[in-house]
Protein backbone atom coordinates (compact mmCIF):
# COMPACT_ATOMS: atom_id res chain seq x y z
CA UNK A 1 0.00 0.00 0.00
CA UNK A 2 2.71 2.42 0.96
CA UNK A 3 4.33 2.43 -2.49
CA UNK A 4 1.08 2.09 -4.36
CA UNK A 5 1.94 5.21 -6.31
CA UNK A 6 5.07 3.55 -7.73
CA UNK A 7 4.89 0.98 -10.49
CA UNK A 8 5.84 -2.34 -8.88
CA UNK A 9 8.78 -2.84 -11.26
CA UNK A 10 10.27 0.52 -10.33
CA UNK A 11 9.93 -0.17 -6.62
CA UNK A 12 11.79 -3.46 -7.07
CA UNK A 13 14.43 -1.97 -9.35
CA UNK A 14 15.26 0.69 -6.77
CA UNK A 15 15.59 -1.98 -4.08
CA UNK A 16 12.74 -0.57 -2.06
CA UNK A 17 10.58 -3.26 -0.54
CA UNK A 18 7.36 -2.16 1.07
CA UNK A 19 8.64 -2.07 4.64
CA UNK A 20 6.20 -1.70 7.45
CA UNK A 21 4.57 -3.22 10.47
CA UNK A 22 3.31 -6.73 9.82
CA UNK A 23 -0.20 -7.58 11.01
CA UNK A 24 -2.09 -5.69 13.67
CA UNK A 25 -2.43 -5.80 17.42
CA UNK A 26 -4.90 -8.07 19.14
CA UNK A 27 -6.22 -7.52 22.61
CA UNK A 28 -6.20 -4.33 24.62
CA UNK A 29 -3.96 -2.30 22.24
CA UNK A 30 -6.02 -3.22 19.19
CA UNK A 31 -6.15 -0.23 16.84
CA UNK A 32 -2.60 0.99 17.53
CA UNK A 33 -1.05 2.46 14.36
CA UNK A 34 2.41 3.65 15.47
CA UNK A 35 4.09 5.64 12.72
CA UNK A 36 1.35 4.69 10.30
CA UNK A 37 2.23 5.33 6.67
CA UNK A 38 5.21 7.62 7.31
CA UNK A 39 8.08 7.06 4.87
CA UNK A 40 10.47 4.56 6.50
CA UNK A 41 13.77 5.90 7.83
CA UNK A 42 16.91 3.79 8.28
CA UNK A 43 19.12 5.14 11.06
CA UNK A 44 22.82 4.49 10.58
CA UNK A 45 24.23 5.46 13.97
CA UNK A 46 23.11 5.12 17.58
CA UNK A 47 22.70 8.92 17.73
CA UNK A 48 20.46 8.91 14.69
CA UNK A 49 18.37 6.07 16.11
CA UNK A 50 17.89 7.99 19.36
CA UNK A 51 16.94 11.15 17.52
CA UNK A 52 14.33 9.39 15.34
CA UNK A 53 12.82 7.72 18.40
CA UNK A 54 12.73 10.83 20.54
CA UNK A 55 11.54 13.50 18.13
CA UNK A 56 7.96 14.71 17.61
CA UNK A 57 7.44 13.25 14.13
CA UNK A 58 5.32 10.22 13.37
CA UNK A 59 7.93 7.73 12.15
CA UNK A 60 8.48 4.25 10.80
CA UNK A 61 12.04 3.45 11.89
CA UNK A 62 13.65 0.37 10.35
CA UNK A 63 16.67 -1.36 11.86
CA UNK A 64 18.71 -3.38 9.38
CA UNK A 65 21.75 -3.93 11.60
CA UNK A 66 22.91 -3.92 15.19
CA UNK A 67 23.01 -0.68 17.18
CA UNK A 68 25.59 -1.13 19.92
CA UNK A 69 25.27 1.39 22.75
CA UNK A 70 27.85 -0.29 24.99
CA UNK A 71 30.53 2.28 25.78
CA UNK A 72 28.68 5.21 24.23
CA UNK A 73 28.04 6.82 27.63
CA UNK A 74 31.10 5.54 29.49
CA UNK A 75 31.30 3.35 32.55
CA UNK A 76 30.95 3.90 36.28
CA UNK A 77 32.89 2.23 39.06
CA UNK A 78 31.45 2.64 42.55
CA UNK A 79 30.32 0.74 45.62
CA UNK A 80 27.58 -1.79 45.03
CA UNK A 81 26.97 -5.06 46.77
CA UNK A 82 26.98 -8.82 46.67
CA UNK A 83 23.43 -9.48 47.93
CA UNK A 84 22.56 -12.39 50.18
CA UNK A 85 20.90 -14.09 47.18
CA UNK A 86 24.26 -14.42 45.47
CA UNK A 87 25.57 -17.59 47.02
CA UNK A 88 27.46 -18.58 43.88
CA UNK A 89 29.88 -15.71 43.28
CA UNK A 90 30.72 -14.97 39.67
CA UNK A 91 27.80 -16.99 38.31
CA UNK A 92 25.35 -15.03 40.47
CA UNK A 93 24.10 -11.45 40.16
CA UNK A 94 25.71 -8.68 42.17
CA UNK A 95 23.90 -5.35 42.51
CA UNK A 96 24.30 -1.69 41.73
CA UNK A 97 23.24 0.48 44.68
CA UNK A 98 20.33 1.99 42.75
CA UNK A 99 17.62 3.50 44.97
CA UNK A 100 19.86 2.57 47.93
CA UNK A 101 18.93 -1.06 47.29
CA UNK A 102 22.24 -2.28 48.70
CA UNK A 103 22.07 -0.17 51.84
CA UNK A 104 18.36 -0.13 52.78
CA UNK A 105 18.08 -3.79 53.69
CA UNK A 106 16.81 -5.12 50.37
CA UNK A 107 20.09 -6.88 49.66
CA UNK A 108 19.45 -9.13 52.65
CA UNK A 109 21.33 -10.24 55.76
CA UNK A 110 24.93 -11.07 55.01
CA UNK A 111 25.20 -8.90 51.92
CA UNK A 112 28.61 -7.32 51.49
CA UNK A 113 29.81 -4.10 49.87
CA UNK A 114 31.81 -4.67 46.71
CA UNK A 115 33.04 -2.46 43.90
CA UNK A 116 30.96 -2.68 40.72
CA UNK A 117 31.78 -1.40 37.23
CA UNK A 118 28.86 -1.04 34.85
CA UNK A 119 28.07 0.42 31.46
CA UNK A 120 26.17 3.70 31.78
CA UNK A 121 24.13 3.43 28.59
CA UNK A 122 22.08 0.50 29.88
CA UNK A 123 20.94 2.25 33.05
CA UNK A 124 18.35 4.45 31.33
CA UNK A 125 16.67 3.44 28.08
CA UNK A 126 15.88 5.53 25.02
CA UNK A 127 12.69 7.58 25.41
CA UNK A 128 10.30 6.69 22.60
CA UNK A 129 7.94 9.45 21.45
CA UNK A 130 4.32 9.02 20.36
CA UNK A 131 3.32 7.74 16.93
CA UNK A 132 6.36 5.57 16.24
CA UNK A 133 6.85 2.18 14.67
CA UNK A 134 10.25 0.61 15.37
CA UNK A 135 10.76 -2.50 13.29
CA UNK A 136 13.61 -4.83 12.40
CA UNK A 137 14.42 -6.24 9.00
CA UNK A 138 14.60 -10.05 9.07
CA UNK A 139 16.68 -10.94 12.12
CA UNK A 140 18.99 -7.95 11.72
CA UNK A 141 17.44 -5.41 14.08
CA UNK A 142 19.40 -5.56 17.34
CA UNK A 143 19.73 -2.97 20.09
CA UNK A 144 22.67 -3.90 22.30
CA UNK A 145 23.26 -2.25 25.64
CA UNK A 146 20.20 -0.02 25.96
CA UNK A 147 16.48 -0.44 26.50
CA UNK A 148 13.37 1.46 25.39
CA UNK A 149 11.10 3.65 27.51
CA UNK A 150 7.51 4.44 26.59
CA UNK A 151 6.75 6.97 29.31
CA UNK A 152 5.52 10.48 30.20
CA UNK A 153 2.34 10.47 28.14
CA UNK A 154 3.69 8.53 25.15
CA UNK A 155 1.04 6.80 23.11
CA UNK A 156 0.50 4.88 19.90
CA UNK A 157 3.79 3.00 19.66
CA UNK A 158 4.63 -0.28 17.90
CA UNK A 159 7.88 -2.15 18.55
CA UNK A 160 8.16 -5.19 16.28
CA UNK A 161 10.79 -7.75 15.39
CA UNK A 162 13.84 -6.43 17.22
CA UNK A 163 16.22 -7.99 19.75
CA UNK A 164 17.19 -6.08 22.88
CA UNK A 165 20.19 -7.57 24.64
CA UNK A 166 23.14 -7.14 27.01
CA UNK A 167 22.11 -4.56 29.58
CA UNK A 168 24.71 -5.13 32.30
CA UNK A 169 23.39 -8.67 32.79
CA UNK A 170 25.79 -9.30 35.67
CA UNK A 171 24.09 -6.66 37.83
CA UNK A 172 20.69 -6.33 39.50
CA UNK A 173 19.62 -2.78 38.51
CA UNK A 174 21.86 -3.04 35.44
CA UNK A 175 19.00 -1.89 33.21
CA UNK A 176 15.43 -2.63 32.10
CA UNK A 177 14.77 -3.65 28.49
CA UNK A 178 11.20 -2.35 28.01
CA UNK A 179 9.58 0.20 30.32
CA UNK A 180 6.01 1.46 30.01
CA UNK A 181 4.73 4.08 32.46
CA UNK A 182 2.16 6.86 31.97
CA UNK A 183 1.38 5.74 28.43
CA UNK A 184 -1.38 4.32 26.26
CA UNK A 185 -1.74 2.10 23.19
CA UNK A 186 1.60 0.29 23.21
CA UNK A 187 2.19 -2.86 21.13
CA UNK A 188 5.33 -4.93 21.68
CA UNK A 189 5.37 -7.71 19.10
CA UNK A 190 7.91 -10.39 18.14
CA UNK A 191 10.58 -8.73 20.27
CA UNK A 192 13.33 -10.87 21.79
CA UNK A 193 14.81 -9.88 25.12
CA UNK A 194 17.93 -11.54 26.54
CA UNK A 195 20.77 -10.86 29.00
CA UNK A 196 19.19 -8.06 30.99
CA UNK A 197 20.29 -6.83 34.43
CA UNK A 198 16.87 -6.04 35.79
CA UNK A 199 13.38 -6.25 34.27
CA UNK A 200 12.83 -7.61 30.80
CA UNK A 201 9.50 -5.73 30.82
CA UNK A 202 8.17 -3.37 33.46
CA UNK A 203 4.94 -1.38 33.62
CA UNK A 204 5.64 1.26 36.26
CA UNK A 205 3.36 2.65 38.94
CA UNK A 206 1.55 5.24 36.79
CA UNK A 207 -1.18 4.24 34.32
CA UNK A 208 0.07 2.36 31.28
CA UNK A 209 -3.49 1.96 30.01
CA UNK A 210 -3.75 -0.32 26.94
CA UNK A 211 -0.78 -2.59 26.20
CA UNK A 212 -0.38 -5.74 24.09
CA UNK A 213 2.74 -7.90 24.37
CA UNK A 214 2.52 -10.57 21.71
CA UNK A 215 4.76 -13.29 20.29
CA UNK A 216 7.83 -12.02 22.14
CA UNK A 217 10.65 -14.22 23.35
CA UNK A 218 11.78 -13.61 26.90
CA UNK A 219 15.01 -15.60 27.03
CA UNK A 220 16.23 -15.87 30.61
CA UNK A 221 19.30 -17.99 29.87
CA UNK A 222 22.15 -16.20 31.64
CA UNK A 223 25.59 -16.71 33.12
CA UNK A 224 24.67 -14.27 35.93
CA UNK A 225 21.62 -15.57 37.70
CA UNK A 226 20.02 -14.03 40.80
CA UNK A 227 18.78 -17.54 41.58
CA UNK A 228 22.25 -19.01 40.98
CA UNK A 229 21.04 -21.54 38.44
CA UNK A 230 21.53 -19.96 35.02
CA UNK A 231 17.95 -18.63 34.95
CA UNK A 232 16.90 -14.95 34.98
CA UNK A 233 14.70 -13.90 37.88
CA UNK A 234 13.44 -10.42 36.82
CA UNK A 235 11.14 -11.21 33.93
CA UNK A 236 7.87 -9.22 33.69
CA UNK A 237 6.67 -6.83 36.41
CA UNK A 238 3.27 -5.14 36.07
CA UNK A 239 2.39 -2.61 38.72
CA UNK A 240 0.49 0.22 37.04
CA UNK A 241 -2.34 2.22 38.55
CA UNK A 242 -4.70 1.60 35.61
CA UNK A 243 -3.33 -1.04 33.29
CA UNK A 244 -4.93 -3.32 30.74
CA UNK A 245 -2.32 -5.77 29.55
CA UNK A 246 -2.69 -8.53 27.00
CA UNK A 247 0.12 -11.09 26.87
CA UNK A 248 -0.46 -13.47 24.00
CA UNK A 249 1.72 -16.04 22.24
CA UNK A 250 4.93 -15.21 24.09
CA UNK A 251 7.72 -17.71 24.65
CA UNK A 252 9.07 -17.28 28.17
CA UNK A 253 11.96 -19.57 29.00
CA UNK A 254 14.86 -20.21 31.37
CA UNK A 255 13.47 -17.83 33.98
CA UNK A 256 13.16 -18.21 37.74
CA UNK A 257 10.77 -15.50 38.91
CA UNK A 258 8.34 -12.67 38.19
CA UNK A 259 7.00 -14.30 35.08
CA UNK A 260 4.93 -12.24 35.64
CA UNK A 261 4.61 -10.40 38.95
CA UNK A 262 1.29 -8.52 38.93
CA UNK A 263 0.21 -5.75 41.31
CA UNK A 264 -1.67 -2.49 41.75
CA UNK A 265 -4.64 -2.04 39.34
CA UNK A 266 -3.69 -4.39 36.54
CA UNK A 267 -6.08 -6.43 34.44
CA UNK A 268 -3.94 -9.04 32.70
CA UNK A 269 -5.12 -11.40 29.99
CA UNK A 270 -2.43 -14.09 29.76
CA UNK A 271 -3.30 -16.28 26.80
CA UNK A 272 -1.58 -18.84 24.58
CA UNK A 273 1.87 -18.24 26.01
CA UNK A 274 4.52 -20.97 26.12
CA UNK A 275 6.24 -21.10 29.47
CA UNK A 276 9.28 -23.35 29.57
CA UNK A 277 12.02 -24.17 32.07
CA UNK A 278 11.22 -21.92 34.99
CA UNK A 279 13.09 -23.06 38.11
CA UNK A 280 11.26 -20.60 40.39
CA UNK A 281 7.79 -19.14 39.95
CA UNK A 282 5.65 -17.86 37.10
CA UNK A 283 2.78 -15.84 38.64
CA UNK A 284 3.08 -13.68 41.73
CA UNK A 285 -0.22 -11.80 42.05
CA UNK A 286 0.57 -9.43 44.83
CA UNK A 287 -2.34 -7.05 45.44
CA UNK A 288 -6.12 -6.95 45.73
CA UNK A 289 -6.82 -5.18 42.42
CA UNK A 290 -4.48 -7.34 40.39
CA UNK A 291 -6.79 -9.42 38.21
CA UNK A 292 -5.60 -12.12 35.86
CA UNK A 293 -7.16 -14.50 33.36
CA UNK A 294 -4.80 -17.34 32.47
CA UNK A 295 -6.01 -19.49 29.56
CA UNK A 296 -4.73 -21.64 26.74
CA UNK A 297 -1.11 -21.55 27.90
CA UNK A 298 1.52 -24.27 28.05
CA UNK A 299 3.47 -24.66 31.28
CA UNK A 300 6.35 -27.04 30.67
CA UNK A 301 8.92 -27.56 33.45
CA UNK A 302 7.61 -24.61 35.45
CA UNK A 303 8.40 -25.33 39.07
CA UNK A 304 5.87 -23.06 40.83
CA UNK A 305 3.16 -21.79 38.50
CA UNK A 306 1.54 -19.58 41.16
CA UNK A 307 3.55 -18.22 44.07
CA UNK A 308 0.73 -16.27 45.73
CA UNK A 309 -2.65 -14.83 44.81
CA UNK A 310 -3.60 -11.71 46.75
CA UNK A 311 -5.82 -10.55 43.88
CA UNK A 312 -8.32 -12.37 41.70
CA UNK A 313 -7.55 -14.95 39.05
CA UNK A 314 -9.46 -17.14 36.70
CA UNK A 315 -7.21 -19.88 35.38
CA UNK A 316 -9.63 -21.87 33.22
CA UNK A 317 -9.82 -24.69 35.75
CA UNK A 318 -12.32 -26.99 34.04
CA UNK A 319 -14.39 -27.22 30.89
CA UNK A 320 -17.57 -26.70 32.86
CA UNK A 321 -16.22 -23.61 34.63
CA UNK A 322 -14.60 -22.17 31.49
CA UNK A 323 -17.85 -21.28 29.78
CA UNK A 324 -18.29 -18.34 32.17
CA UNK A 325 -15.78 -16.43 29.99
CA UNK A 326 -18.22 -16.35 27.07
CA UNK A 327 -20.19 -13.51 28.62
CA UNK A 328 -17.21 -11.29 29.40
CA UNK A 329 -14.39 -12.24 27.03
CA UNK A 330 -16.56 -13.29 24.12
CA UNK A 331 -15.20 -16.82 24.03
CA UNK A 332 -15.11 -19.88 26.23
CA UNK A 333 -11.84 -19.89 28.14
CA UNK A 334 -9.31 -22.48 27.02
CA UNK A 335 -7.74 -24.87 29.50
CA UNK A 336 -4.03 -24.61 30.19
CA UNK A 337 -1.66 -27.52 29.61
CA UNK A 338 0.89 -28.64 32.20
CA UNK A 339 3.95 -30.83 31.77
CA UNK A 340 6.29 -31.52 34.71
CA UNK A 341 4.96 -28.34 36.29
CA UNK A 342 3.29 -27.17 39.46
CA UNK A 343 -0.44 -26.74 39.55
CA UNK A 344 -2.73 -23.78 38.90
CA UNK A 345 -6.43 -23.82 39.65
CA UNK A 346 -8.17 -20.60 40.65
CA UNK A 347 -11.74 -19.76 39.77
CA UNK A 348 -12.45 -16.21 40.90
CA UNK A 349 -15.05 -14.77 38.53
CA UNK A 350 -16.10 -11.49 40.18
CA UNK A 351 -13.59 -9.45 38.16
CA UNK A 352 -14.42 -10.87 34.72
CA UNK A 353 -16.89 -8.04 34.06
CA UNK A 354 -13.83 -5.75 33.83
CA UNK A 355 -13.34 -7.19 30.34
CA UNK A 356 -16.71 -5.83 29.22
CA UNK A 357 -16.42 -3.38 26.34
CA UNK A 358 -12.67 -3.96 25.92
CA UNK A 359 -10.84 -5.43 22.95
CA UNK A 360 -10.08 -8.97 24.08
CA UNK A 361 -7.62 -11.27 22.31
CA UNK A 362 -8.93 -14.57 21.00
CA UNK A 363 -7.74 -17.85 22.47
CA UNK A 364 -6.64 -21.09 20.82
CA UNK A 365 -6.41 -24.45 22.50
CA UNK A 366 -3.15 -24.94 24.42
CA UNK A 367 -2.39 -27.86 22.10
CA UNK A 368 -2.02 -25.37 19.22
CA UNK A 369 0.55 -23.20 21.03
CA UNK A 370 4.14 -23.50 19.79
CA UNK A 371 7.35 -21.59 20.28
CA UNK A 372 7.96 -21.29 16.54
CA UNK A 373 5.77 -18.21 16.13
CA UNK A 374 7.57 -16.18 18.82
CA UNK A 375 10.69 -14.00 18.73
CA UNK A 376 12.61 -12.24 15.96
CA UNK A 377 12.91 -13.25 12.34
CA UNK A 378 9.55 -14.98 12.04
CA UNK A 379 7.17 -12.18 11.07
CA UNK A 380 6.63 -11.99 7.34
C1 LIG B 1 0.18 11.55 17.28
O1 LIG B 1 -0.73 11.47 16.24
C2 LIG B 1 -2.02 12.00 16.57
C3 LIG B 1 -2.95 11.70 15.42
O2 LIG B 1 -2.40 12.13 14.21
C4 LIG B 1 -1.89 13.47 16.86
O3 LIG B 1 -3.13 14.03 17.24
C5 LIG B 1 -0.89 13.68 18.00
O4 LIG B 1 -0.66 15.05 18.20
C6 LIG B 1 0.43 13.00 17.68
N1 LIG B 1 1.28 13.07 18.84
C7 LIG B 1 2.48 13.61 18.79
C8 LIG B 1 3.22 13.69 20.08
O5 LIG B 1 2.98 14.01 17.76
C1 LIG C 1 22.61 -20.49 27.24
O1 LIG C 1 23.58 -19.57 26.77
C2 LIG C 1 24.86 -20.16 26.59
C3 LIG C 1 25.83 -19.05 26.28
O2 LIG C 1 25.42 -18.32 25.17
C4 LIG C 1 24.75 -21.20 25.50
O3 LIG C 1 25.99 -21.82 25.31
C5 LIG C 1 23.73 -22.25 25.90
O4 LIG C 1 23.52 -23.15 24.85
C6 LIG C 1 22.39 -21.58 26.24
N1 LIG C 1 21.50 -22.58 26.79
C7 LIG C 1 20.21 -22.63 26.46
C8 LIG C 1 19.44 -23.69 27.14
O5 LIG C 1 19.71 -21.88 25.65
Amino acid sequence: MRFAFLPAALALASGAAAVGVVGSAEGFAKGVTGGGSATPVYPSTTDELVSYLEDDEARVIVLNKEFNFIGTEGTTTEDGCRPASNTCGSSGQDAINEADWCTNGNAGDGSTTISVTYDNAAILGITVGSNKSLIGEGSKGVIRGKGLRMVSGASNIIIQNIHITELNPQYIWGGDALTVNDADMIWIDHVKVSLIGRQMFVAGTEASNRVTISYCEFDGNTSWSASCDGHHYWTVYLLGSNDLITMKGNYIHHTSGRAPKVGSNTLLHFVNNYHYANTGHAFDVMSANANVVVEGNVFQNVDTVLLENEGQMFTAPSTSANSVCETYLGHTCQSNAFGSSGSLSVSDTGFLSNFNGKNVASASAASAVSTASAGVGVVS
Side-chain angles (χ1 to χ4, degrees), residues 171-226:
Y171 294 127
I172 299 170
W173 297 106
D176 299 324
L178 293 155
T179 303
V180 180
N181 190 48
D182 181 14
D184 189 23
M185 292 297 272
I186 308 294
W187 183 29
I188 314 291
D189 182 64
H190 287 97
V191 169
K192 177 172 177 172
V193 180
S194 65
L195 294 173
I196 302 301
R198 188 62 163 176
Q199 290 304 136
M200 291 186 157
F201 181 94
V202 59
T205 55
E206 294 175 82
S208 290
N209 293 293
R210 296 165 292 177
V211 177
T212 294
I213 304 166
S214 52
Y215 303 99
C216 292
E217 178 183 355
F218 296 99
D219 177 358
N221 180 24
T222 179
S223 301
W224 302 274
S225 164

Side-chain angles (χ1 to χ4, degrees), residues 34 55-58 129-131 155-156:
D55 71 16
D56 287 332
E57 303 287 315
S130 297
N131 304 328
S155 71
N156 192 29

Side-chain angles (χ1 to χ4, degrees), residues 90-214:
S90 61
S91 59
Q93 255 193 325
D94 292 324
I96 296 168
N97 191 25
E98 171 74 22
D100 297 328
W101 193 85
C102 284
T103 45
N104 67 10
N106 272 316
D109 287 346
S111 70
T112 53
T113 301
I114 60 163
S115 173
V116 295
T117 298
Y118 57 87
D119 195 77
N120 294 337
I123 300 299
L124 194 64
I126 306 165
T127 306
V128 182
S130 297
N131 304 328
K132 306 280 186 185
S133 300
L134 175 65
I135 58 186
E137 215 179 73
S139 303
K140 291 188 279 189
V142 179
I143 301 180
R144 187 175 296 275
K146 203 167 186 67
L148 299 170
R149 290 164 56 80
M150 286 131 286
V151 300
S152 307
S155 71
N156 192 29
I157 295 169
I158 299 171
I159 314 287
Q160 184 177 67
N161 197 35
I162 66 165
H163 183 185
I164 301 174
T165 191
E166 222 180 314
L167 275 59
N168 292 312
Q170 68 275 43
Y171 294 127
I172 299 170
W173 297 106
D176 299 324
L178 293 155
T179 303
V180 180
N181 190 48
D182 181 14
D184 189 23
M185 292 297 272
I186 308 294
W187 183 29
I188 314 291
D189 182 64
H190 287 97
V191 169
K192 177 172 177 172
V193 180
S194 65
L195 294 173
I196 302 301
R198 188 62 163 176
Q199 290 304 136
M200 291 186 157
F201 181 94
V202 59
T205 55
E206 294 175 82
S208 290
N209 293 293
R210 296 165 292 177
V211 177
T212 294
I213 304 166
S214 52

